[in-house]
C-alpha cells in the first residue's frame, strides 16, 4: 500500500508525457513562433537602422523583410530528411526521383517538402509585417508615382521630398503629418501581415481537407500509419546506433588483435536502396513503409553483404 502514491505519480507522469508526445507538432510550431518573434525583435532593436534616403530605403528594408525568410526556407529544406531521402543518389540514378514512373506522386512529395519548409519563413514574414518596422523603411524609399500619390495625396510637395525620412522621424514635416504617414505605413504593413496569415490558414485547411478526402485509408488507419512511421524511425535510429557500435568494435578488435574480422551479418547494397525509397500507399499491397514491404517480400534476397564497406568507386568518402 505504501507504493500506491508512487504508482499514481508514475501514471500521472506517463499521462502528461503522452499528452506532450501527441501534441509535439503543435508544441514545435509554438516554439518556432516564439523564436521567430524573439528573432524579429532582436533584428529590429539591435541591427536594423533604416538609412532614410530614397536610394537605399527600399533595398535595405526589403532585405531585412525577406532575407531572414529566405535563410529559414533554405534551412528548412536543408534539414528535411524527406528531401534528402528522395534526392540522394538521383544524379547517378535519376529514376529514384520518380519510382515506377509516378511523376504525379513525386510532384506531391516535393509540394509537401516545400510547404513544410515554408512554415518558418511565413511565420517570420507575418511577424515582421505585423511589427511594421521593415515595411515602413522599404515603402518609404519607393519612387513610384502611384505609391507616392497614395501617401502624399492632398499634401504639400514637401511630403514627396521628405517621405524617405519619415521612418526615422527626421523629416521636416509637421509632427502630426509625420505621425499620420507612420500610421499609414504601419496599417498597410499589418493588413498585409493578416492577409498572409489568413491565406496560409485557408490553404493549410484546404490542403488537409483535400489530402484526407483523397486518402485511401480510414482516419483511424491513417492515424495508426503515422504512429507506426514515427516508431519505426525511432527504432531504426536505435538499431543503427547499436549495429554501428558492434561493427566499429568488430573492426577495431580485428585491427588491434591483428587477426581476420569475424563474420558480420549486414544488409546488402540493394536492400539499403530499396528501404531508402519513399513509400506511397497502395491498396494492392497494404504495407506501412518501404521497410515492411521489403521484409515481407516473398522473393527477398537474404544474401548478406560479404564485407560491410562503402563503395568508393564514385568518390564517396566519409571523414
Amino acid at each position: 500500500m505504501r507504493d500506491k502514491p508512487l504508482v499514481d505519480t508514475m501514471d500521472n507522469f506517463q499521462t502528461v508525457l503522452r499528452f506532450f508526445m501527441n501534441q509535439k507538432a503543435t508544441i514545435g510550431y509554438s516554439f518556432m513562433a516564439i523564436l521567430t518573434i524573439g528573432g524579429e525583435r532582436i533584428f529590429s532593436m539591435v541591427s536594423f537602422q533604416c538609412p532614410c534616403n530614397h536610394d537605399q530605403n527600399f533595398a535595405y528594408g526589403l532585405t531585412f523583410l525577406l532575407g531572414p525568410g529566405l535563410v529559414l526556407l533554405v534551412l528548412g529544406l536543408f534539414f528535411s530528411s524527406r528531401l534528402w531521402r528522395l534526392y540522394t543518389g538521383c544524379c547517378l540514378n535519376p529514376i529514384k526521383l520518380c519510382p515506377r514512373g509516378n511523376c504525379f506522386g513525386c510532384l506531391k512529395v516535393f509540394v509537401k517538402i516545400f510547404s513544410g519548409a515554408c512554415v518558418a519563413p511565413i511565420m517570420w514574414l507575418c511577424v515582421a509585417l505585423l511589427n511594421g518596422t521593415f515595411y515602413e523603411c522599404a515603402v518609404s524609399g519607393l519612387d513610384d508615382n502611384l505609391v507616392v500619390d497614395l501617401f502624399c495625396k492632398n499634401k504639400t510637395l514637401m511630403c514627396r521630398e521628405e517621405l524617405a525620412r519619415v521612418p526615422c522621424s527626421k523629416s521636416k514635416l509637421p509632427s502630426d503629418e509625420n505621425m499620420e504617414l507612420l500610421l499609414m505605413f504601419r496599417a498597410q504593413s499589418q493588413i498585409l501581415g493578416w492577409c498572409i496569415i489568413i491565406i496560409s490558414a485557408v490553404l493549410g485547411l484546404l490542403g488537409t481537407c483535400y489530402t484526407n478526402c483523397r486518402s485511401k485509408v480510414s482516419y483511424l488507419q491513417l492515424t495508426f500509419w503515422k504512429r507506426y512511421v514515427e516508431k519505426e524511425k525511432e527504432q531504426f535510429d536505435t538499431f543503427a546506433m547499436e549495429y554501428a557500435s558492434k561493427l566499429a568494435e568488430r573492426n577495431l578488435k580485428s585491427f588491434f588483435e591483428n587477426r581476420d574480422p569475424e563474420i558480420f551479418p549486414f544488409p546488402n547494397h540493394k536492400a539499403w536502396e530499396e528501404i531508402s525509397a519513399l513509400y506511397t500507399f497502395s491498396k494492392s499491397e497494404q504495407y506501412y513503409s518501404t521497410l515492411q514491404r521489403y521484409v515481407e517480400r516473398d522473393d527477398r534476397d537474404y544474401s548478406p553483404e560479404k564485407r560491410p564497406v562503402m563503395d568508393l568507386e564514385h568518390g564517396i568518402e566519409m571523414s
Side-chain angles (χ1 to χ4, degrees):
M1 294 298 292
R2 288 181 301 176
D3 293 336
K4 190 174 185 303
L6 179 61
V7 172
D8 292 340
T9 302
M10 291 300 296
D11 289 342
N12 293 334
F13 176 75
Q14 289 178 357
T15 302
V16 173
L17 185 62
R18 278 197 300 269
F19 171 78
F20 280 110
M21 289 299 293
N22 292 335
Q23 302 296 325
K24 62 182 179 181
T26 304
I27 294 171
Y29 286 133
S30 301
F31 184 67
M32 190 186 301
I34 293 172
L35 287 180
T36 303
I37 294 171
E40 193 275 338
R41 294 307 300 165
I42 292 173
F43 266 87
S44 299
M45 293 185 296
V46 177
S47 62
F48 184 78
Q49 295 291 332
C50 187
C52 292
N53 64 68
H54 283 289
D55 296 330
Q56 296 181 350
N57 275 21
F58 180 72
Y60 188 82
L62 200 65
T63 299
F64 273 82
L65 185 63
L66 300 181
L70 291 175
V71 173
L72 289 172
L73 177 62
V74 171
L75 290 176
L77 293 172
F78 183 79
F79 289 110
S80 173
S81 58
R82 184 181 290 181
L83 174 64
W84 297 118
R85 190 170 183 175
L86 183 68
Y87 182 75
T88 301
C90 70
C91 291
L92 301 177
N93 187 15
I95 200 170
K96 288 181 67 175
L97 286 174
C98 298
R100 303 182 182 182
N102 186 9
C103 294
F104 181 71
C106 178
L107 180 62
K108 285 203 310 184
V109 171
F110 273 115
V111 170
K112 287 181 181 178
I113 293 170
F114 187 77
S115 59
C118 283
V119 173
I122 289 175
M123 281 187 180
W124 165 268
L125 189 58
C126 293
V127 170
L129 287 172
L130 290 176
N131 185 33
T133 306
F134 306 145
Y135 181 86
E136 292 169 6
C137 182
V139 174
S140 65
L142 288 174
D143 287 328
D144 188 87
N145 289 329
L146 185 64
V147 176
V148 175
D149 289 341
L150 175 65
F151 292 110
C152 294
K153 187 177 181 180
N154 300 325
K155 291 183 173 62
T156 61
L157 185 61
M158 185 180 292
C159 174
R160 292 173 173 270
E161 298 173 354
E162 298 294 319
L163 190 63
R165 297 187 180 91
V166 168
C168 303
S169 299
K170 295 179 180 179
S171 70
K172 299 177 182 178
L173 297 171
S175 58
D176 56 341
E177 191 171 332
N178 193 88
M179 180 58 66
E180 181 184 350
L181 288 170
L182 273 176
L183 291 176
M184 288 178 66
F185 289 150
R186 192 151 301 177
Q188 279 194 357
S189 180
Q190 291 177 347
I191 288 171
L192 283 175
W194 277 110
C195 286
I196 292 174
I197 292 173
I198 293 170
I199 291 171
S200 300
V202 171
L203 289 177
L205 176 62
L206 291 177
T208 303
C209 290
Y210 175 79
T211 303
N212 287 354
C213 180
R214 300 280 297 176
S215 176
K216 297 178 181 179
V217 298
S218 65
Y219 174 76
L220 291 178
Q221 190 176 6
L222 185 62
T223 303
F224 174 79
W225 188 1
K226 292 177 181 178
R227 295 288 185 274
Y228 170 81
V229 171
E230 291 175 2
K231 291 299 179 183
E232 184 184 271
K233 186 179 183 303
E234 292 175 7
Q235 292 295 320
F236 179 84
D237 292 339
T238 303
F239 270 76
M241 183 69 71
E242 181 182 345
Y243 271 80
S245 299
K246 288 180 179 179
L247 180 60
E249 182 181 358
R250 170 252 201 188
N251 293 340
L252 288 169
K253 275 186 177 182
S254 174
F255 174 76
F256 283 104
E257 295 175 6
N258 197 24
R259 58 180 175 82
D260 291 335
E262 301 171 358
I263 297 175
F264 192 86
F266 206 72
N268 56 38
H269 177 73
K270 185 179 178 182
W272 283 107
E273 286 289 322
E274 291 192 25
I275 70 165
S276 297
L278 287 173
Y279 179 69
T280 53
F281 187 84
S282 172
K283 287 185 177 180
S284 61
E285 43 177 28
Q286 295 192 25
Y287 305 126
Y288 292 103
S289 67
T290 49
L291 177 62
Q292 185 185 5
R293 183 173 62 189
Y294 174 77
V295 299
E296 294 190 11
R297 277 175 45 185
D298 295 331
D299 59 341
R300 176 182 167 186
D301 183 9
Y302 287 97
S303 59
E305 195 79 63
K306 292 182 180 179
R307 291 183 300 167
V309 296
M310 288 289 289
D311 179 14
L312 300 181
E313 178 184 353
H314 300 289
I316 301 173
E317 186 173 353
M318 301 297 288
S319 58

